[in-house]
Amino acid sequence: MTPPSDETLDTAPPEAAAPGGATEALKQAEFKRGWLVPAIIGSALLMQTLNATVITNALPAMAHTFHVEPVRLSVAITTYMLSAAIFLPLSGWLADRFGARRVFMCSIVLYAIGSAACGLAGSLWQLIAARFIQGAAGATLMPVGRLVLLRTTPKSELVGALSVVTMPALLGPVVGPVIGGAIVTFADWRWIFFMNLPIAVMGLILVYLHVPEVREQDAPKVDILGMILTGLGLAALIVGFESLGRDTLSPLGVAGLFGAGLAMLGVYGWHANHTPHAVVNLTIFKHRTFSASVIGGAWMRIAMGANPFLLAMLLQVAFGLSAFAAGLMTFISAVGALVMKTAAPPILRAFGFRTTLLVNAVIVGVSFIAYSFFRPSWPHWAIMAVLGVGGFFRSLQFTALNGMAYADIDQDQMSRAATTSSMVQQLVQSIGIGLSASLLHLLMMLHGATKLTPEVVAPAFLIVGPVTMISMWWFFRLPADAGDEMNGRKPA
């Protein structure tokens, strides 16, 4: 087997010189660029989305194994994000220096090793250590996979390619709750991690055969100080949010983490303005499309970080459903998201990014608020209908945000833009999980409850819903034609 070389995806084969060969070669290159490579990258990302979904369903069972409260198991999720935050700043430089495909394949292997270690964990601390390994690998999977697309796909085709790359990844949320719930209910939760191993083997083979190698010809110098400042700064903030409302650290210790994290990021801001090869180029935030996607979209991702954790606590702990029954109900949300992926490009072409993001932000916020009305007496089909509609419109919002982010980014800034976007996403998702766990503690105190009940968990969605609408401030400031080059939309 000969792996793809550094050539671009649209390079024509020798038979293109024959009559009709050029047209056929062009079609093959377009298929490979627009469908095959994004689908392969998305399939590799399936490991991440599968684990992210099933672990929330498995939290009560894992808590029973390790003899801790289910709410405390949120540390297994935030540890992953903590590790990812530390290693994310390195991902763009590694791809530029050693080649995106090579780094992507190494990340798949490391993620599989971390998954096996999670499945073999005999204590909570062993699980936390294994999740740290997973997070280190996951730190490069998404940004490096996205970088391959950004470097090989014309901007006019990028929205469609990004939609394709997320389709296999969305199979994780689709099948994860059902498969994970069945494993937890009828077998052992450890198998939710062992499932990643065959996916990793298949992903390695397909990436090796079909994904091209892309790298910078003159890779910038590694910004070691910048990586230390951003990695430790993000890590301190994530641990601080995880510790909110817990007994693990004193209030002074939590405040110290926030202070240290903000201080290190502040020092990095000064460092970045005086370093030409800074790991995160802050000047890219001057692009309104990038700022709206990353900063405005952060408010949406805070809610998305909280949603799976809150739903698991509501359906399994408060409602008393089995992991399998809860999985059957929540998987419909991902089905709605998967359906939207085919509808998103034509919607964006018809209405543009600005209008779509503004209107959809309201719809998504209202869908979260609707979750607060769930009660054990509700018929399951009604809960599933609300979850399906919510997943449908959240998928549209994320497709628009991810596509618009790179509308005004030059090729030489793509790796750092992808790294920056991924760093912010990891931080805000951990904020969502940390705040949701703290919110549940606070609601339990206000209700004088000693355990989670529907009356305790449901009001959390009343707070999460409006948070998503804060993003509208950034969307209002976009020009009407923002990102039109990305979706092939014709000027009005």
Side-chain angles (χ1 to χ4, degrees):
M1 294 185 298
T2 303
S5 65
D6 289 6
E7 64 187 354
T8 60
L9 281 175
D10 55 307
T11 300
E15 59 267 29
T23 301
E24 184 63 27
L26 186 60
K27 289 180 179 179
Q28 291 177 0
E30 185 177 346
F31 171 78
K32 187 173 183 179
R33 184 178 63 231
W35 285 92
L36 182 60
V37 171
I40 291 172
I41 293 173
S43 297
L45 299 177
L46 175 63
M47 291 189 301
Q48 279 187 298
T49 59
L50 193 62
N51 259 177
T53 305
V54 299
I55 196 172
T56 55
N57 265 16
L59 289 182
M62 295 165 69
H64 178 75
T65 299
F66 298 129
H67 308 291
V68 297
E69 289 296 319
V71 172
R72 191 181 169 194
L73 257 293
S74 65
V75 69
I77 301 174
T78 49
T79 296
Y80 178 96
M81 295 182 176
L82 168 66
S83 176
I86 294 173
F87 292 99
L88 262 172
L90 195 60
S91 61
W93 179 82
L94 285 173
D96 286 342
R97 176 66 178 81
F98 299 104
R101 188 191 63 191
R102 184 177 302 169
V103 173
F104 195 67
M105 293 177 67
C106 289
S107 299
I108 292 174
V109 173
L110 186 60
Y111 199 91
I113 293 173
S115 297
C118 286
L120 297 171
S123 68
L124 178 59
W125 287 110
Q126 290 177 10
L127 176 68
I128 291 173
R131 289 287 287 172
F132 191 87
I133 295 174
Q134 274 192 315
T140 52
L141 273 175
M142 178 60 79
V144 173
R146 186 181 298 167
L147 180 60
V148 172
L149 292 186
L150 295 174
R151 288 263 174 84
T152 58
T153 308
K155 284 189 175 182
S156 60
E157 301 175 14
L158 197 53
V159 170
L162 289 171
S163 293
V164 173
V165 81
T166 53
M167 283 183 183
L170 277 173
L171 287 176
V174 172
V175 303
V178 179
I179 295 177
I183 289 174
V184 172
T185 302
F186 305 115
D188 192 313
W189 60 263
R190 299 178 187 276
W191 285 97
I192 67 176
F193 295 103
F194 295 146
M195 285 191 303
N196 283 332
L197 303 184
I199 298 175
V201 172
M202 184 178 299
L204 276 174
I205 295 173
L206 292 175
V207 171
Y208 181 82
L209 289 176
H210 298 290
V211 175
E213 184 67 282
V214 291
R215 71 173 75 188
E216 282 289 329
Q217 295 300 319
D218 298 311
K221 292 173 57 179
V222 58
D223 179 16
I224 297 177
L225 178 59
M227 290 177 183
I228 293 174
L229 289 172
T230 54
L232 294 182
L234 290 175
L237 291 179
I238 289 174
V239 175
F241 280 110
E242 165 64 21
S243 303
L244 281 176
R246 311 293 181 86
D247 297 327
T248 52
L249 287 177
S250 66
L252 185 61
V254 175
L257 284 171
F258 283 131
L262 292 173
M264 281 186 278
L265 293 181
V267 172
Y268 176 77
W270 179 89
H271 166 78
N273 289 328
H274 295 79
T275 305
H277 58 278
V279 62
V280 176
N281 186 351
L282 299 180
T283 61
I284 60 177
F285 284 100
K286 294 180 180 179
H287 299 296
R288 281 187 289 179
T289 48
F290 187 81
S291 294
S293 173
V294 175
I295 301 177
W299 297 99
M300 173 74 64
R301 292 184 171 94
I302 288 176
M304 280 300 297
N307 182 57
F309 178 75
L310 290 176
L311 277 177
M313 296 299 104
L314 179 66
L315 297 178
Q316 291 189 53
V317 180
F319 284 13
L321 297 177
S322 69
F324 183 57
L328 286 174
M329 294 178 67
T330 56
F331 96 100
I332 195 67
S333 175
V335 172
L338 191 61
V339 171
M340 172 53 80
K341 286 303 175 183
T342 59
I347 290 175
L348 289 170
R349 281 193 294 269
F351 300 103
F353 281 99
R354 183 178 182 273
T355 300
T356 300
L357 288 169
L358 282 171
V359 174
N360 208 43
V362 177
I363 297 174
V364 171
V366 170
S367 73
F368 278 123
I369 294 172
Y371 297 173
S372 67
F373 296 100
F374 291 167
R375 292 295 182 272
S377 58
W378 273 45
H380 288 186
W381 65 263
I383 295 177
M384 293 174 69
V386 176
L387 292 174
V389 171
F392 185 83
F393 287 103
R394 284 198 303 275
S395 178
L396 173 60
Q397 198 76 347
F398 283 131
T399 299
L401 288 170
N402 291 334
M404 185 183 66
Y406 307 99
D408 301 319
I409 303 297
D410 295 330
Q411 279 293 330
D412 60 350
Q413 293 182 313
M414 283 295 188
S415 62
R416 294 180 184 180
T419 299
T420 304
S421 176
S422 297
M423 287 171 61
V424 175
Q425 289 180 31
Q426 287 291 342
L427 175 61
V428 298
Q429 286 178 12
S430 68
I431 291 173
I433 296 170
L435 289 181
S436 63
S438 302
L439 187 58
L440 292 183
H441 280 286
L442 177 61
L443 290 171
M444 287 177 67
M445 292 173 57
L446 292 176
H447 284 81
T450 57
K451 62 180 182 179
L452 295 177
T453 65
E455 291 73 26
V456 169
V457 182
F461 293 102
L462 290 174
I463 299 172
V464 169
V467 168
T468 65
M469 301 185 197
I470 298 176
S471 61
M472 296 173 69
W473 167 256
W474 283 267
F475 305 153
F476 268 123
R477 300 166 66 188
L478 289 171
D481 61 350
D484 280 357
E485 182 184 358
M486 303 294 290
N487 57 21
R489 188 175 184 234
K490 297 179 180 180

